[in-house]
């Protein structure tokens, strides 16, 4: 399975961006999808996860500002990012897993830069 993320870019603080990630190369629905991010010099950080029924969970730093959603028919996950802060600057990676506790597949990442 391949995961292709898009939608990153440069935005001013307080602005919004919407990331998309589409999975291809598989006949099966990816039940668990997630966004992680990694800023320069920092560890990878959970942003949000969502299962096939739409149940979502968020990292503390993005709660109330980011919303994860998915379109199961398109095997696509979205990340709506509002009220962006400079500390949100990072490479955002999308991932997917067929089963709870199973192996995860990761895309190449998309860069989000938030200017102050």
């Amino acid at each position: 399975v391949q995961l292709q993320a898009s939608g990153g870019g440069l935005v001013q603080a307080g602005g919004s961006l919407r990331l998309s990630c589409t999975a291809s190369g598989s006949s099966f629905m990816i039940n668990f999808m997630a966004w992680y991010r990694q800023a320069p010099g920092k560890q990878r950080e959970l942003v949000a996860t969502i299962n096939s029924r739409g149940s979502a969970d968020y990292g503390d730093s993005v709660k109330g500002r980011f919303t994860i959603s998915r379109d199961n028919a398109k095997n696509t996950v979205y990340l709506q990012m509002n009220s962006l802060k400079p500390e949100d600057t990072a490479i955002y990676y999308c991932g997917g897993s067929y089963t709870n506790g199973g192996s995860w597949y990761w895309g190449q990442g998309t860069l989000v830069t938030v200017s102050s």
Side-chain angles (χ1 to χ4, degrees):
V1 60
Q2 293 82 42
L3 294 159
Q4 181 71 43
S6 61
L10 174 64
V11 64
Q12 288 188 331
S16 299
L17 279 177
R18 188 191 193 210
L19 306 183
S20 300
C21 176
T22 299
S24 61
S26 174
S27 302
F28 301 98
M29 183 174 66
I30 297 177
N31 287 303
F32 300 92
M33 300 191 82
W35 289 96
Y36 278 76
R37 68 186 182 185
Q38 188 164 20
K42 294 187 177 181
Q43 290 187 331
R44 190 178 67 167
E45 175 188 19
L46 169 70
V47 177
T49 62
I50 189 168
N51 65 17
S52 58
R53 288 178 284 183
S55 179
D57 196 14
Y58 297 90
D60 288 340
S61 61
V62 306
K63 283 181 180 177
R65 300 188 297 122
F66 291 9
T67 303
I68 190 171
S69 61
R70 64 184 293 165
D71 184 334
N72 289 337
K74 297 180 180 179
N75 244 355
T76 297
V77 63
Y78 305 96
L79 185 69
Q80 178 66 44
M81 305 185 294
N82 298 329
S83 301
L84 282 161
K85 304 175 181 179
E87 51 263 44
D88 294 318
T89 295
I91 298 175
Y92 284 70
Y93 299 92
C94 70
S97 177
Y98 291 106
T99 60
N100 191 12
S103 298
W104 280 79
Y105 300 89
W106 296 98
Q108 85 290 355
T110 185
L111 177 62
V112 172
T113 303
V114 184
S115 63
S116 58

